[in-house]
């Protein structure tokens, strides 16, 4: 009876793994998984990464804008847009630029695009447009922000027109830009969780939540390239 | 679900999903609403000068001065998904140089909770009404319209033009002596 109990205790001890594992245990897990599971995990991860990339490139094609989702960096359009808000842009060539529209444009010499409102438009018969912008919260128009000697903007300077708005969501991108260690930390920790949890059955729920976080984190990383944030 | 961390993780994921669903609901229920309301506009005084454009391109351009009244009731435009309305009065006209000209003369921000009934009288233009050239002189048809940009809490940013406009002719001669 005692020996049986002893044997049972031994078996139980071998079978249970503690739920909370540190990152170092991952190598133990990797060795325990057979090659097939390892390939599956790698493919899973690659699929998540490529889905995020496909969504991003697909949005670029759909909207016609080189950067369809931007984050507002400054308060020059308050109280409409605050720092950390998300804007969805489109850039269809058939749409004429008209007064009152909110446009995101790039000025030569500045790598961060600017989101302001159009206050003056002059369009010729042949379709050439020149326009002037001003931030809602600024006292003066943007001529001080343009290049030296430039008085008007043209269609080629436009990155897109703001069509949709989502508050606060862009704060994550700002945080990840200001503290890049945070972005790396999140990516690494999600990667570790995907690998470690996926190796064991019963971790399905956690795998799902991790693999939905990862494409979002990747999308945010794509959004946070310097030319995609918006300021002033 | 037996550690604090996994409980916090589930709670966080669930609250994110709920917030996303509510935001989507806000957006979908107000996306296709008609936000046009009637607007009454009157112009009381117009003057035209020709000066060097000190706001930018240093060329002699037509400078217009307008005094106007606006009355509008914007109550119907506000709903649970509107954060603010950015109102702007724009003058649209056509000249020899340019087929389409639009200049914003006056704007106002109406926040959620502010008085939605707009009534301004004897207001001068907030921004200088410079033309790109000399196209305002003798222009028969300068149309003033009030439009607004609806800024939602989450969703589409439409530009709506109020129904009601006023077209005014500009004088044939420049005013040299008087100031506005």
């Amino acid at each position: 009876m005692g020996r049986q109990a002893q044997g049972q205790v031994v078996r139980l001890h071998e079978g249970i793994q503690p739920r909370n594992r540190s990152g170092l245990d991952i190598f133990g897990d990797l060795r325990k998984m057979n090659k097939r599971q390892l390939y599956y995990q790698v493919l899973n991860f690659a699929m998540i990464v490529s889905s995020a990339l496909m969504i991003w490139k697909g949005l670029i094609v759909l909207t016609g804008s080189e950067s369809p989702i931007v984050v507002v960096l400054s308060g020059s359009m308050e109280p409409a847009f605050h720092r950390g808000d998300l804007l969805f842009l489109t850039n269809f060539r058939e749409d004429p630029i008209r007064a009152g529209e909110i446009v995101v444009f790039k000025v030569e010499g500045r790598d961060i695009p600017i989101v302001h409102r159009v206050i003056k438009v002059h369009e010729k018969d042949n379709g050439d447009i020149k326009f002037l912008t001003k931030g809602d919260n600024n006292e003066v128009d943007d001529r001080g922000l343009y290049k030296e000697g430039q008085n008007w903007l043209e269609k080629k300077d436009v990155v897109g027109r703001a069509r949709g708005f989502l508050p606060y969501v862009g704060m994550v991108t700002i945080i990840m830009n200001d503290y890049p260690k945070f972005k790396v930390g999140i990516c690494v920790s999600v990667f570790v969780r995907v690998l470690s949890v996926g190796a064991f059955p019963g971790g399905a729920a956690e795998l799902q939540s991790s693999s939905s976080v990862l494409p979002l984190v990747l999308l945010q990383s794509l959004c946070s390239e310097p030319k995609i944030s918006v300021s002033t | 679900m037996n550690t604090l961390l996994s409980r916090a993780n589930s709670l966080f994921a669930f609250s994110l999903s709920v917030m996303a669903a509510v935001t989507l609901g806000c957006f979908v229920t107000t996306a296709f609403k008609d936000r046009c309301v009637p607007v009454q506009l009157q112009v009381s005084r117009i003057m035209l000068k020709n000066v060097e454009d000190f706001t930018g391109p240093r060329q002699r351009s037509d400078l217009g001065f307008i005094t106007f009244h606006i009355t509008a009731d914007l109550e119907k435009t506000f709903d649970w998904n509107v954060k603010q309305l950015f109102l702007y009065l724009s003058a649209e006209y056509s000249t020899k140089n340019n087929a389409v000209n639009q200049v914003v003369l006056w704007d106002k921000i109406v926040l959620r909770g502010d008085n939605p009934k707009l009534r301004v009288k004897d207001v001068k233009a907030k921004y200088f009404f410079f033309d790109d050239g000399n196209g305002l002189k003798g222009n028969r048809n300068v149309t003033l319209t009030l439009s607004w940009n609806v800024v939602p809490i989450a969703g589409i940013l439409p530009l709506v033009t109020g129904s009601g406009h006023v077209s005014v002719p500009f004088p044939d001669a420049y005013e040299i002596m008087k100031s506005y």
Side-chain angles (χ1 to χ4, degrees), chain A residues 80 99 117 121-123 163 165, chain B residues 83 99-102 149 155 157:
Chain A
R117 197 181 294 275
V121 174
H122 297 290
E123 180 177 342
R163 295 278 184 229
F165 169 77
Chain B
K83 189 161 77 169
V100 176
N101 299 276
Q102 287 185 331
N149 188 347
L157 293 156

Side-chain angles (χ1 to χ4, degrees), chain B residues 49-109:
Chain B
K49 284 185 182 248
N50 185 275
V51 295
E52 195 183 278
D53 188 346
F54 46 82
T55 62
R58 297 231 166 251
Q59 63 188 47
R60 285 195 80 84
S61 314
D62 284 353
L63 176 59
F65 297 89
I66 294 192
T67 309
F68 46 84
H69 319 299
I70 311 177
T71 310
D73 183 9
L74 300 162
E75 184 124 30
K76 224 169 54 95
T77 328
F78 278 95
D79 56 24
W80 57 86
N81 198 23
V82 174
K83 189 161 77 169
Q84 73 169 54
L85 290 183
F86 185 88
L87 305 166
Y88 56 99
L89 182 84
S90 59
E92 183 165 346
Y93 58 98
S94 174
T95 65
K96 198 163 44 77
N97 283 346
N98 299 306
V100 176
N101 299 276
Q102 287 185 331
V103 179
V104 169
L105 299 178
W106 175 90
D107 55 38
K108 182 173 165 51
I109 293 179

Side-chain angles (χ1 to χ4, degrees), chain A residues 26-148:
Chain A
I26 187 71
F27 298 111
D29 298 337
L30 278 177
R31 265 180 270 124
K32 284 201 186 70
M33 280 195 287
N34 57 27
K35 277 213 170 86
R36 189 173 197 182
Q37 276 183 309
L38 185 62
Y39 290 150
Y40 180 76
Q41 288 308 310
V42 169
L43 275 180
N44 211 12
F45 186 71
M47 214 175 72
I48 293 174
V49 169
S50 47
S51 321
L53 205 60
M54 277 199 295
I55 293 174
W56 183 244
K57 294 294 180 189
L59 269 181
I60 291 181
V61 168
L62 202 69
T63 60
S65 161
E66 66 186 38
S67 129
I69 305 181
V70 293
V71 175
V72 176
L73 283 184
S74 82
S76 64
M77 283 292 278
E78 285 186 12
F81 307 144
H82 296 263
R83 187 178 150 87
D85 293 338
L86 215 67
L87 288 176
F88 297 93
L89 312 180
T90 64
N91 196 16
F92 301 123
R93 273 165 225 298
E94 317 84 55
D95 288 343
I97 297 177
R98 291 291 173 249
E101 288 188 344
I102 302 175
V103 294
V104 176
F105 57 92
K106 271 212 266 224
V107 179
E108 271 176 72
R110 287 169 192 264
D111 46 31
I112 302 185
I114 300 176
V115 64
H116 280 170
R117 197 181 294 275
V118 173
I119 58 168
K120 274 194 190 178
V121 174
H122 297 290
E123 180 177 342
K124 292 199 184 304
D125 286 321
N126 57 8
D128 289 344
I129 294 190
K130 57 186 188 185
F131 61 97
L132 176 65
T133 57
K134 173 182 164 300
D136 291 348
N137 211 18
N138 293 347
E139 286 298 318
V140 297
D141 59 36
D142 289 346
R143 284 193 167 126
L145 289 172
Y146 299 165
K147 206 175 63 163
E148 184 70 42

